[in-house]
Amino acid sequence: MIEKLWINLSPRYNRIVKMIWSALTMFFIGFGIYLQIEADIGFPSWNALNQGFSIVFPITYGTASITIGLSIVVIDLIMKEPIGMGTLIDAVCVGLGCDFFAMLDPVPETDSFMIKLLLFIISLFILSYGQYLYMITGLSCGPRDAFTVAVGKRCKKISIGTVNNIISVVVILAAWFMGATIGVGTVISVFGMGFVMDITFKACRFEPRNVVHEDIMKTLKAIIKNKE
């Protein structure tokens, strides 16, 4: 059990170890995103929405990503999902991890569609396993994951992977109407990510809707005062 890394520690060191673990996990997720970029067979749904948003409005892709991300944070708060250290670590470390692996560039370029397809599928398993690894810390989720969990809590009769698929379909339809580039990878991401999530979470005996997350103030209080 991964929780053994921090379960018997004092509140202060419990949170510190969890934060370090989350940061390392986000680098792992960054590797998954790097593989999707290397595969180059289409944007995943949320990335496609960022592109579509930048097409409709005269802003850059990065600005669109930030705008949509902040909007989702607001929705998360309305849906009573906590925003905590995990959210901040997600915002910083996933991008750093992606840039780190892009700099190392461990996967050589290829013209083979089958290899690109394999890379993309592998990336889905890396991303879903990464979600499990950081969600178990209970330090709160990244904005999009928190939104998926929030919707999932209101649709308890269907799996979290199916919830993810439904959200992805809505997102990709919006992106398509905005003129975003839709590729094979986009379709695989929309319908395959939820399926992979269900497989991974079931194998790990993990239900993200059962995790009790804490907000940033509770985490800081535990670190500063060394009290729960």
Side-chain angles (χ1 to χ4, degrees):
M1 295 289 288
I2 295 170
E3 292 91 335
K4 289 182 179 179
L5 289 172
W6 55 73
I7 196 169
N8 293 320
L9 298 176
S10 67
R12 174 178 293 146
Y13 290 108
N14 175 285
R15 298 322 190 279
I16 291 173
V17 171
K18 283 182 177 180
M19 288 166 60
I20 294 172
W21 177 262
S22 293
L24 292 174
T25 299
M26 295 304 175
F27 263 77
F28 180 66
I29 290 174
F31 179 64
I33 295 174
Y34 157 76
L35 289 182
Q36 291 186 341
I37 294 171
E38 284 295 297
D40 192 26
I41 58 174
F43 282 117
S45 55
W46 286 105
N47 296 41
L49 184 62
N50 294 339
Q51 184 196 35
F53 206 80
S54 68
I55 292 172
V56 172
F57 300 96
I59 56 177
T60 65
Y61 177 92
T63 302
S65 178
I66 293 171
T67 302
I68 292 172
L70 290 175
S71 299
I72 297 171
V73 168
V74 173
I75 295 172
D76 291 340
L77 290 171
I78 293 172
M79 299 181 78
K80 299 182 179 180
E81 287 299 311
I83 302 301
M85 292 304 299
T87 313
L88 299 181
I89 293 170
D90 175 282
V92 175
C93 291
V94 171
L96 290 177
C98 188
D99 288 346
F100 174 75
F101 287 108
M103 180 184 66
L104 292 181
D105 201 17
V107 178
E109 291 186 15
T110 179
D111 294 325
S112 170
F113 175 76
M114 293 307 296
I115 293 178
K116 289 183 176 184
L117 183 61
L118 179 61
L119 288 176
F120 199 93
I121 293 173
I122 290 173
S123 76
L124 297 184
F125 281 93
I126 290 175
L127 293 177
S128 61
Y129 190 59
Q131 287 176 313
Y132 157 69
L133 290 176
Y134 95 86
M135 283 185 183
I136 59 175
T137 63
L139 294 182
S140 78
C141 302
R144 292 161 184 81
D145 288 339
F147 178 62
T148 301
V149 171
V151 174
K153 288 178 179 178
R154 291 158 176 80
C155 306
K156 294 182 179 181
K157 293 185 178 181
I158 61 177
S159 71
I160 198 71
T162 302
V163 171
N164 183 83
N165 283 348
I166 294 170
I167 293 172
S168 293
V169 168
V170 174
V171 168
I172 205 61
L173 285 174
W176 180 63
F177 279 116
M178 290 181 180
T181 303
I182 307 299
V184 175
T186 311
V187 177
I188 294 173
S189 176
V190 168
F191 296 101
M193 187 62 194
F195 176 69
V196 171
M197 283 173 65
D198 281 340
I199 292 176
T200 304
F201 291 172
K202 186 175 181 180
C204 296
R205 298 179 181 178
F206 175 66
E207 173 51 73
R209 287 173 284 201
N210 293 339
V211 179
V212 179
H213 292 280
E214 61 184 38
D215 60 31
I216 191 169
M217 295 308 297
K218 185 174 181 179
T219 302
L220 290 176
K221 180 180 178 181
I223 293 173
I224 295 171
K225 297 184 177 182
N226 199 26
K227 294 181 180 179
E228 292 290 355

